[in-house]
Amino acid sequence: MRDKEFVSKLLKTALPITLQNLMLALVAVSDSLMLGNLEQNFMAAVTLATQIQFIQNMFMSATVESSAILGAQYWGKGDRQSLNSIFCTTFKICGGIGLLTFAGCVFAPRALMLIFTDEEVLVKIGVEYLQIAGWSYLLTGFSQCYLAIMKITDHPDSTAKISSFAVILNIVLNAVFIFGLFGLPAMGVKGAALATLAARIVELLLAVGMSYRKNYIHIHFSDILKSHKELLSDFMKCWLPLLGACLMWGVGFTSYTAFMGHLGTDAAAANSICAIVRDVICCLGNGLANGGGIIVGHQLGAGKLEKGKEYGIRVMKLGFWCGFISCVLMFAFTPVALNFIKLTEGAEKLLYQMMVVMAVYMIGRSVNTVIINGIFAAGGDTMFDMYSLAVCMWGIAVPLAALGTFVFHWPVVIVYGCTCLDEVGKIPWVMFHFKKYKWVKDLTR
């Protein structure tokens, strides 16, 4: 922390990204607070329904992160033409993903809801939400492409401003549409979905408009149909392992939510609150991972491998500090959350138990996010994430949680603890791989 250049670069990059992540997480908080204030089932159903977007985000994240990995290195090298080719590739893939998600939510919402719960009351509420929110999923990928390019081209503050404005708009419209303010009819769950759609439209318009300012990168639509074979090959080498890892993690995490949904409405509601608090606190680790990864990638792409390695070691140490801080924050947020949500006595008891488990989990989550998704990814070392998930999540956590839910009928908190085993357990493996320094690579041509 005595290196002023390092601290300046990290703060300039990581703080706006952390703010952006926090503002996005606050949308889920506002949805849950407002809907939970009406009825517990509204909150639980919307949390289950938004797992569809969660799965979509797995595909989007792999695509956007691949463009960020290569883009950060090419920006460090000063090659704008290659960066534009990477942008076009990302744009096409994200557009296809958004279209598929939109079709599923609008035309087959009931089938999607039945994946996560067999409680009919939750299914009906979720269907109402998805039929409107599905339209917003069509736009999300495009806006994320623009925001990702801004992050890696020294404009992370612009992404924070755009996301913050969209989130504030979403929260205000949530209140207006859900409760029926200013003479409008109270729309409940449909109002939450409509507010999300309006915010996504505004976010995309702002991102496109901002990209045409001086010193910004904007997509050249004349290049959309063109293909740079070498760059596409490099992109696929990053994208396929990341996609595999994101799908493993995303489907595994979604299965955790499904397990809670099958353990009753109290378990689903408590898990919803726990997930919201977790997502807010994770913004700290996610911001450090993204910001740290970008500044490491800039050094590696510029050919400064030793400096990139040094930056990576510093970011790794900060990842451990971030984990311990997140653990403390998890305990601190528990009583605060309970003051704003109407829960049954059973759900409230489960929430306290889950929060204790989650506090320990946050240490592993923060450390692994910073190292795997930030440092390893910066140098194109994307295969490790997939291997670790295959062993720790799918080899241990998911089977144990599934057996506890459907075969042995363990108490809810035991099943929940099983879903948190993977992150804490793989820290030694992650550190062993870190010390090999396979991530210290220049990926540019």
Side-chain angles (χ1 to χ4, degrees), residues 106-411:
V106 173
F107 299 110
R110 181 175 177 80
L112 294 177
M113 281 301 300
L114 286 171
I115 297 172
F116 304 106
T117 182
D118 53 5
E119 298 282 347
E120 185 61 28
V121 62
L122 299 182
V123 171
K124 287 182 178 179
I125 296 170
V127 167
E128 290 182 359
Y129 180 85
L130 287 176
Q131 286 180 325
I132 299 174
W135 291 89
S136 70
Y137 303 158
L138 185 63
L139 307 176
T140 302
F142 297 128
S143 60
Q144 291 305 307
C145 290
Y146 280 97
L147 295 177
I149 291 297
M150 289 181 194
K151 288 178 189 175
I152 62 176
T153 55
D154 296 332
H155 300 295
D157 54 329
S158 296
T159 68
K161 291 175 183 176
I162 292 171
S163 293
S164 297
F165 181 81
V167 166
I168 292 170
L169 177 65
N170 197 336
I171 293 172
V172 171
L173 292 179
N174 267 344
V176 172
F177 294 148
I178 290 174
F179 299 115
L181 305 181
F182 307 113
L184 294 174
M187 300 173 66
V189 169
K190 290 183 179 179
L194 189 59
T196 299
L197 174 59
R200 293 289 80 75
I201 292 171
V202 171
E203 181 182 61
L204 179 58
L205 292 175
L206 290 174
V208 173
M210 185 76 74
S211 71
Y212 282 90
R213 295 176 62 179
K214 186 178 180 181
N215 296 325
Y216 282 70
I217 300 291
H218 62 267
I219 197 165
H220 297 283
F221 288 97
S222 59
D223 294 335
I224 284 286
L225 299 178
K226 297 179 181 178
S227 179
H228 190 301
K229 290 184 179 180
E230 290 183 332
L231 278 178
L232 181 61
S233 174
D234 291 342
F235 185 89
M236 288 299 170
K237 287 177 183 177
C238 288
W239 184 62
L240 291 175
L242 280 174
L243 180 60
C246 283
L247 288 177
M248 282 186 179
W249 186 82
V251 175
F253 229 75
T254 303
S255 72
Y256 297 160
T257 304
F259 296 153
M260 293 296 111
H262 284 281
L263 289 173
T265 55
D266 281 350
N271 181 61
S272 299
I273 300 301
C274 203
I276 291 163
V277 177
R278 177 200 66 214
D279 290 345
V280 170
I281 296 175
C282 278
C283 293
L284 182 62
N286 294 340
L288 179 59
N290 278 274
I294 288 171
I295 65 172
V296 171
H298 284 169
Q299 299 302 318
L300 298 177
K304 301 175 182 178
L305 300 185
E306 279 303 313
K307 195 165 189 178
K309 178 181 176 181
E310 181 184 342
Y311 277 13
I313 293 171
R314 293 177 182 178
V315 172
M316 176 270 292
K317 293 178 181 178
L318 289 173
F320 276 92
W321 280 107
C322 178
F324 293 121
I325 293 171
S326 298
C327 176
V328 173
L329 289 176
M330 201 73 199
F331 281 116
F333 267 84
T334 303
V336 176
L338 286 171
N339 285 332
F340 293 96
I341 300 291
K342 293 180 180 178
L343 294 178
T344 64
E345 186 178 344
E348 189 171 315
K349 182 179 179 181
L350 287 174
L351 178 61
Y352 273 114
Q353 295 171 345
M354 289 180 177
M355 285 292 197
V356 173
V357 175
M358 182 56 65
V360 178
Y361 163 90
M362 288 302 299
I363 299 173
R365 172 69 179 267
S366 299
V367 170
N368 293 330
T369 297
V370 170
I371 296 177
I372 296 175
N373 299 338
I375 301 168
F376 290 174
D381 187 5
T382 55
M383 286 296 292
F384 177 81
D385 195 13
M386 189 166 65
Y387 294 148
S388 65
L389 287 167
V391 174
C392 298
M393 176 177 272
W394 285 96
I396 300 172
V398 171
L400 281 176
L403 289 171
T405 302
F406 300 112
V407 180
F408 300 117
H409 307 291
W410 289 337

